[in-house]
Amino acid sequence: MPRYGMVIDLKRCVGCYACVMACKAENVTPANVFWNKVLVEEKGAYPNARLTFLPVLCNHCDNPPCETVCPTGATYRRPDGIVAVNQDKCMGCGYCVVACPYQQRTFNHKTAGYFPARGLTPLEEQGYKSHTRGTVTKCTLCVHRISQGRQPACVVACPARARIFGDLSDPGSEPSRLLGRRPAHRLLTGLNTGPAVYYIPE
Amino acid sequence: MTLTVQTTWGHLVAWYLFLAGMGAGLYIIAIGAKIWRGSTAYEKAGYYLSPALVILGSFLLLLDLGQPLRAALAILRPHSSMISVGTLILSLFIAVGLLQGYLLYRGRRLAAFWDWAGLLLAVGAATYTGLLLGVVKAIPFWNNPLLPVLFLVSAVSSGAGLLMLLPARGPLAAGEGGDILLPQLLRLDTGLIIVKAGLLATLILIAKTGGLAAAASAAILLSGFFALPFWGLVVVAGLVIPLALELRGQAHAPRGRLAAGLCLLAGALALRYSVVVAGVWLPLGG
Ligand code: SF4
Ligand code: SF4
């Protein structure tokens, strides 16, 4: 059984938001819902100030707190490590939203789309069918693409090749070899969530 | 380092925590008086009003759901989430309370065992409202074992406040010859207020001296966007005024009693709001 995960090389990330937009286009997430974000921060002081970028997505944790708090069983962890939400079981209590330490879950109010005055675009009309109003939504690691042997949309879109996706349980996979060569860290490891997204520091 | 305040839970959750806590707290005092003082003065309030308040609170929680019709799924899995455990406790409490209320209405009473069962469930329900937030590690201000204790004590105190508001006559009155338990109720509440103040101060102090997120939570309440309700309602209305009224004996008079009761309820509600809106997540990045 694979264990899917991702390595993000912060030395390579240029903060272009291509991954954010690729995720939007691929999954047609509702307006103001982002499964993939880039956190921008200013470091240092003038004249040596600079921006740093931290792309964040669901960590598909080994011990996902979102799953522990879910009262309906809508949130579950697949054998391949992907943490998923069954939109037919989610009652929209929002417990997982507050409990995810990575702030990776959003309540889906399902808005009128990005151009409310003009109604839904054809893409929105089609794409919104896969999102249930009143449930909680988050990154699926593009499971629909993975099952076809393709990489997640954000990985393919990254022009800097900063995102390396693959099977972390296979020592020969690209992310595993990268992790063997370069020191990497994960976010909030003190909580023992076991994130599957690694970061190579700048 | 950016800090984010959770906004997913708001008004309805705060009201739910308040109402469920108050209903449970009322039951604890009313039936506690029966068990330990041998007095049925507050029995009607406990049997009729407590389940009604918990039902109202649960209804608000249901309203807060994105898909309320699926709520039954939560009861079917009592082993999983704190919400499932809580739903189970609240449902059992409501069931026991309704049964006792119905029988009392018909002029009958259940065996004392059921009072104990109801009491245990009430303690469980009031504690659970704090545990719901207390188990969330992602929000350090909530993730404190003192929070459930504070919510329990505050719930009992708001139950006392409600009893102070009940009119001398009417279906819920504390007995024909006036409220003979009032002096004991006030003495109990004075103790509760002091414990409440100590717990709250400790909780805030721990947050203030804790990590970035916890300190930000404390700042929201002490000097931030929720400072006015926190100082005005939680501290002054919830602690200072009722304590003064009780210590100076004014709460024995009808008007003082009314004022103390109202202040206690306002303070308890504002406390739930304060904790909910000051939920700051651990900072990401680094
Ligand atoms: S990052 Fe959050 S949403 Fe994703 S698996 Fe971990 S706890 Fe759940
Ligand atoms: S919002 Fe849905 S997925 Fe999240 S905890 Fe509640 S029922 Fe589970």
Side-chain angles (χ1 to χ4, degrees):
Chain A
M1 196 39 92
R3 167 66 170 117
Y4 292 122
M6 198 182 287
V7 182
I8 299 180
D9 189 343
L10 297 177
K11 273 199 172 64
R12 285 174 162 266
C13 173
V14 292
C16 68
Y17 291 83
C19 51
V20 177
M21 294 322 292
C23 177
K24 273 263 146 201
E26 177 75 26
N27 298 297
V28 201
T29 45
N32 299 318
V33 173
F34 292 89
W35 285 355
N36 184 79
K37 290 176 239 176
V38 178
L39 306 182
V40 184
E41 215 176 300
E42 195 182 313
K43 290 231 169 97
Y46 177 84
N48 294 317
R50 67 202 167 87
L51 292 179
T52 61
F53 306 102
L54 182 73
V56 288
L57 67 157
C58 170
N59 285 283
H60 297 278
C61 304
D62 287 328
N63 305 305
C66 59
E67 185 203 26
T68 322
V69 300
C70 178
T72 60
T75 291
Y76 64 102
R77 189 170 179 275
R78 299 170 20 131
D80 59 10
I82 294 178
V83 176
V85 183
N86 179 342
Q87 292 188 53
D88 295 328
K89 279 173 106 183
C90 172
M91 67 176 185
C93 64
Y95 206 1
C96 56
V97 179
V98 295
C100 167
Y102 305 97
Q103 302 164 37
Q104 285 309 317
R105 288 176 162 249
T106 327
F107 194 87
N108 177 9
H109 297 282
K110 203 133 160 205
T111 59
Y114 273 99
F115 312 97
R118 294 170 171 264
L120 294 184
T121 64
L123 174 69
E124 287 172 331
E125 205 158 297
Q126 191 54 34
Y128 284 7
K129 285 186 186 147
S130 54
H131 303 290
T132 311
R133 182 202 191 103
T135 66
V136 158
T137 145
K138 71 163 196 65
C139 157
T140 62
L141 209 57
C142 278
V143 61
H144 59 289
R145 295 175 58 103
I146 297 176
S147 63
Q148 296 170 351
R150 297 191 292 160
Q151 305 243 324
C154 57
V155 175
V156 178
C158 178
R161 258 188 75 68
R163 305 170 85 103
I164 315 294
F165 166 84
D167 177 3
L168 298 175
S169 69
D170 169 9
S173 74
E174 210 189 337
S176 299
R177 278 182 296 149
L178 193 59
L179 288 175
R181 281 203 313 271
R182 310 260 305 269
H185 65 269
R186 294 177 290 172
L187 299 179
L188 300 175
T189 35
L191 299 176
N192 287 323
T193 48
V197 175
Y198 290 78
Y199 294 92
I200 295 176
E202 280 185 275
Chain B
M1 194 81 62
T2 24
L3 291 165
T4 319
V5 190
Q6 76 82 20
T7 51
T8 303
W9 282 356
H11 298 283
L12 289 174
V13 171
W15 274 95
Y16 158 68
L17 299 175
F18 165 66
L19 288 171
M22 182 162 64
L26 174 64
Y27 192 95
I28 292 172
I29 297 192
I31 305 313
K34 196 177 163 191
I35 293 178
W36 289 297
R37 291 278 179 272
S39 163
T40 54
Y42 296 145
E43 189 186 34
K44 276 186 251 157
Y47 286 165
Y48 294 154
L49 207 48
S50 296
L53 287 168
V54 178
I55 290 173
L56 184 64
S58 313
F59 178 70
L60 292 186
L61 184 66
L62 221 52
L63 276 189
D64 200 37
L65 296 180
Q67 296 278 351
L69 295 179
R70 297 179 184 167
L73 288 171
I75 300 203
L76 299 176
R77 308 173 74 251
H79 53 281
S80 61
S81 160
M82 197 43 82
I83 287 196
S84 304
V85 177
T87 314
L88 190 72
I89 295 179
L90 293 189
S91 310
L92 288 176
F93 175 75
I94 291 172
V96 171
L98 282 181
L99 184 67
Q100 288 174 322
Y102 172 72
L103 287 177
L104 184 69
Y105 179 71
R106 303 291 303 265
R108 287 174 38 214
R109 285 191 179 88
L110 284 175
F113 165 79
W114 290 99
D115 282 337
W116 280 100
L119 197 72
L120 274 181
L121 288 168
V123 172
T127 314
Y128 149 72
T129 59
L131 273 177
L132 177 71
L133 306 181
V135 297
V136 174
K137 290 210 180 77
I139 296 178
F141 181 50
W142 293 357
N143 189 222
N144 190 315
L146 289 181
L147 190 71
V149 188
L150 173 63
F151 273 23
L152 172 64
V153 177
S154 160
V156 180
S157 180
S158 65
L162 193 61
L163 284 171
M164 295 177 200
L165 290 182
L166 290 183
R169 283 172 213 292
L172 298 174
E176 295 308 313
D179 190 347
I180 44 159
L181 286 182
L182 186 63
Q184 299 177 48
L185 181 70
L186 294 179
R187 227 178 305 129
L188 170 72
D189 193 52
T190 305
L192 291 173
I193 291 178
I194 292 168
V195 177
K196 210 164 50 165
L199 285 168
L200 182 64
T202 317
L203 202 65
I204 297 281
L205 199 69
I206 292 176
K208 212 169 137 54
T209 53
L212 281 175
S217 294
I220 287 176
L221 300 181
L222 297 177
S223 54
F225 72 85
F226 216 68
L228 203 59
F230 178 75
W231 288 109
L233 293 177
V234 178
V235 177
V236 175
L239 303 170
V240 178
I241 297 181
L243 189 66
L245 289 173
E246 286 166 14
L247 287 180
R248 299 169 60 185
Q250 284 149 321
H252 291 270
R255 282 194 28 212
R257 172 180 173 161
L258 203 67
L262 280 175
C263 282
L264 284 170
L265 297 203
L269 176 61
L271 175 66
R272 305 303 185 283
Y273 262 98
S274 299
V275 175
V276 170
V277 302
V280 179
W281 273 303
L282 284 167
L284 286 179

